[in-house]
Amino acid sequence: MNKQEAQFILESYRPGTEDDSDPTFKEALELARKDPELMAWLKESEAFDTLISQGLQSITPPAGLKETILQGATRERPPIEAPVERQEKKVIWWQSPWLMTMAASLAVMLAVTLTVIRPQELEADWSVAKIIDTASSQTSADGAPAQEYINFKDLRARFEAGDIPVPQTDHLPKDLQKGDNTSYGYTAMDWDGLPVGRWTLHDNRGEMYQLYVIDTRYLKDVPTLSTPVYREIQGYAFASWTGGNTLYILEQQGPIANLRELFKYHHDK
Amino acid sequence: MHRSLKFEDIVEAYYTGLYRFAFSLTKNEHEAGDLTQQTFFVYARKGDSIRDPSKVKSWLFTTLYREFLKICRKTKSLTFKEHEELELDMPTAAPKIASQLDAASTVDLLNEIDETYRDPIILFYLQDHSYKEIAAILDIPIGTVMSRISRGKNQLRNLFTKQDTKVE
C-alpha cells in the first residue's frame, strides 16, 4: 500500500467508531503511524470531519415531531374497562392536524368527485382475484417498502382531488369500528390507473389488519359480496366483501380462521 | 413492526437521526418532518418482516432514502453522474479550522457538493453507520462508497476553503 492508497482508505475512517476494529483500515493506519506527513494530514482531516459532524449533530427535530409520529402511527390500546359506548362515539381515523385538514377537504371534494370523475372511462380490467393477488404482492419478502407508496405531497393532492377510497364504518366488522385506535395508517396507491386506498387497522385486541378499499365503479363484473369470501395466499388471509359501491379486502397475516372469527364475532353481536 | 421491539422505543432511538438525514437531504424542515413520519408509517406497516432487530436502524434509513428518491424522481430527473471509480484522486489538504459551523451552514455546504457524492458524505458525517451500512442504504458497492466519500470530501474542503476566503 502506498501513501496515496492509504489516504484514500483513511478518508472513510472515523476514529472512535467501529472503524477502529475494521481490518480495512488497519494497514493504512499502520502506515500513518510510520509516516509523520501522512499522520499530520490524517489529524487535520479528522479535525475537519469533526467540524462537519458537529454541524450535522446540531440539527434538532422540530418540537412535537416525535409525538406526531407516535400519534399518527400507533396508539395505546384502550383500557379493557373503558365504556364501550364511549369508544364507539369516537371513531377517529386520524388525529394528526394536517390529516384532519385533509379529511375536511375530502368531505368538500366528495360531491365534486362523484359528479366529475367517471370511473367507467378508465379501461381498468381488474377482477377481485387480481386485486387480491396484487394486494398479496404488496408484502415483499425482504421488508422493503413497496414501490406503490406515494409521498405526502401526492397524498395531499389526491385528498384535495377527492380521489381517495374511504371505507364506511358500518361496512366493517364491529371489532374494527371501535375505539380511538381503529386506524393508524393510510396509503394511497395507484395500480395501473386503479385508485386503491389501504388503511391499517387495529382491533380491540391489538391485532393488525390491512384494509384495501376500492370503488367498484372502476371494476368490471364485480359480484355483490354481502358475506365475505375468503382466500389464503402465502401465509396471509384475505376476506373480500362489498358495501354500496365499495369493494373491501381485509388482509391479515395468519390463517383464514382468524378472519372468519372476526366476522363471526361481528355477526354474533 | 418487529415483535421484540416497542414502536415507541424505535421512534425514540432513531427519529432524531432520521430527521437529521432527511433535513440534510431536503434542506426543508417540513419536508424533513414529512419524510421522517412517512418512514415510521412504512415501518408500522412493514416492520414485521424485519427478522433481525439489529437491522432496524439500517432499514429505517434505507426506507427514508428511498422515499426521498421517489420524491426527487417526481420533481426532477435525477442525473447520477457515474464517474470512473477506480481512479484515485489525491486528497486535498484539510483546511485550517478556526471556527464552528452551525447546522444551516453545514447543510448548505453539503448541498453544494455534487449530488453523487452528497448522500454518502451526509451519512458518513452523521456517524450513525459504518461505510458498509452506507453502501447498503444507498444500494451501491462498498468500493463506490469509499470513492464517493473521498471525492466528496475533496469537494467539501475546497468549498469550505473558498467560503472561508470570502469571509476573510
Side-chain angles (χ1 to χ4, degrees):
Chain A
M1 180 183 290
N2 62 33
K3 190 171 167 180
Q4 188 182 0
E5 288 167 341
Q7 278 186 316
F8 172 78
I9 291 169
L10 291 172
E11 289 278 30
S12 296
Y13 171 69
R14 290 160 299 185
T17 69
E18 59 190 280
D19 290 351
D20 289 336
S21 56
D22 190 326
T24 306
F25 301 109
K26 192 176 175 184
E27 191 181 347
L29 285 168
E30 201 60 43
L31 194 62
R33 284 188 197 102
K34 294 173 184 169
D35 183 333
E37 193 183 349
L38 183 58
M39 181 55 82
W41 168 85
L42 180 60
K43 292 297 173 195
E44 284 185 6
S45 180
E46 285 174 3
F48 180 71
D49 291 346
T50 301
L51 177 82
I52 303 295
S53 280
Q54 284 174 345
L56 285 185
Q57 299 299 327
S58 65
I59 296 171
T60 51
L65 177 63
K66 187 176 80 174
E67 290 71 22
T68 305
I69 292 166
L70 291 173
Q71 277 182 356
T74 187
R75 299 217 160 271
E76 289 183 16
R77 298 178 192 182
I80 293 168
E81 64 272 21
V84 173
E85 194 179 341
R86 181 166 171 267
Q87 291 177 23
E88 287 179 339
K89 285 179 182 172
K90 297 180 74 178
V91 179
I92 300 171
W93 295 105
W94 295 94
Q95 290 197 339
S96 159
W98 68 267
L99 277 170
M100 290 298 284
T101 305
M102 286 194 295
S105 302
L106 173 67
V108 173
M109 296 304 294
L110 190 58
V112 178
T113 306
L114 291 173
T115 53
V116 173
I117 290 184
R118 293 284 179 271
Q120 59 271 29
E121 289 175 4
L122 296 176
E123 294 180 0
D125 185 16
W126 289 86
S127 64
V128 175
K130 186 179 174 185
I131 290 168
I132 292 175
D133 285 337
T134 307
S136 169
S137 70
Q138 293 297 303
T139 309
S140 55
D142 63 358
Q147 292 302 306
E148 287 76 9
Y149 282 85
I150 66 170
N151 59 59
F152 281 176
K153 188 180 171 187
D154 289 353
L155 186 59
R156 285 190 193 102
R158 295 188 71 160
F159 263 105
E160 284 163 12
D163 191 13
I164 296 286
V166 182
Q168 278 194 39
T169 308
D170 58 1
H171 288 166
L172 306 181
K174 280 273 192 310
D175 261 14
L176 297 182
Q177 297 179 15
K178 294 178 186 175
D180 289 349
N181 58 339
T182 304
S183 169
Y184 79 128
Y186 174 75
T187 304
M189 294 178 285
D190 189 336
W191 294 351
D192 293 332
L194 176 69
V196 178
R198 184 178 60 205
W199 304 78
T200 303
L201 310 176
H202 270 164
D203 65 16
N204 288 343
R205 294 163 296 167
E207 295 288 329
M208 191 169 80
Y209 304 80
Q210 304 300 331
L211 179 69
Y212 294 84
V213 185
I214 296 144
D215 189 329
T216 54
R217 291 172 300 168
Y218 285 93
L219 310 173
K220 292 177 180 173
D221 304 318
V222 175
T224 301
L225 304 171
S226 51
T227 55
V229 174
Y230 300 95
R231 189 172 162 195
E232 188 171 334
I233 303 174
Q234 295 180 341
Y236 284 82
F238 296 85
S240 318
W241 74 100
T242 54
N245 286 328
T246 307
L247 170 68
Y248 298 98
I249 294 171
L250 190 66
E251 172 198 329
Q252 190 193 29
Q253 193 169 13
I256 283 176
N258 292 351
L259 281 187
R260 285 188 193 278
E261 192 64 23
L262 181 78
F263 283 91
K264 178 173 174 283
Y265 182 60
H266 167 48
H267 293 309
D268 287 350
K269 288 195 113 184
Chain B
M1 58 211 88
H2 199 278
R3 286 172 187 171
S4 65
L5 302 170
K6 279 181 68 180
F7 184 79
E8 290 83 352
D9 295 339
I10 298 288
V11 174
E12 177 67 39
Y14 300 124
Y15 88 100
T16 301
L18 286 165
Y19 178 82
R20 283 175 181 154
F21 184 34
F23 186 80
S24 303
L25 294 169
T26 63
K27 291 178 66 180
N28 181 293
E29 188 175 307
H30 292 296
E31 288 177 16
D34 281 356
L35 269 174
T36 309
Q37 287 184 60
Q38 174 70 358
T39 301
F40 283 109
F41 287 146
V42 175
Y43 178 74
R45 164 78 178 102
K46 297 274 187 178
D48 247 348
S49 57
I50 307 171
R51 293 178 183 173
D52 181 354
S54 68
K55 304 283 187 203
V56 168
K57 183 177 75 170
S58 288
W59 191 96
L60 288 167
F61 277 81
T62 303
T63 300
L64 188 146
Y65 188 63
R66 289 182 186 179
E67 293 295 321
F68 169 72
L69 289 181
K70 275 188 241 174
I71 294 169
C72 288
R73 288 191 190 108
K74 288 186 178 179
T75 52
K76 62 175 178 174
S77 177
L78 284 179
T79 51
F80 288 107
K81 289 172 275 181
E82 295 297 339
H83 296 270
E84 177 54 62
E85 304 288 1
L86 297 174
E87 183 192 339
L88 301 186
D89 285 345
M90 191 62 191
T92 53
K96 302 293 179 192
I97 309 301
S99 59
Q100 287 197 330
L101 281 175
D102 61 19
S105 306
T106 307
V107 171
D108 284 344
L109 198 61
L110 287 167
N111 274 273
E112 281 189 56
I113 64 178
D114 285 352
E115 221 164 60
T116 311
Y117 309 133
R118 184 198 60 190
D119 302 343
I121 280 286
I122 288 171
L123 286 167
F124 173 83
Y125 281 121
L126 282 172
Q127 295 195 332
D128 280 323
H129 304 278
S130 69
Y131 67 92
K132 290 174 186 171
E133 289 172 327
I134 293 172
I137 290 168
L138 302 178
D139 196 22
I140 52 178
I142 289 171
T144 306
V145 167
M146 295 182 85
S147 173
R148 289 183 184 179
I149 287 173
S150 175
R151 288 165 185 262
K153 283 171 78 170
N154 274 343
Q155 283 194 6
L156 200 60
R157 290 187 193 107
N158 289 333
L159 287 165
F160 183 82
T161 305
K162 277 184 197 169
Q163 196 182 61
D164 248 22
T165 309
K166 278 182 194 171
V167 172
E168 285 165 11

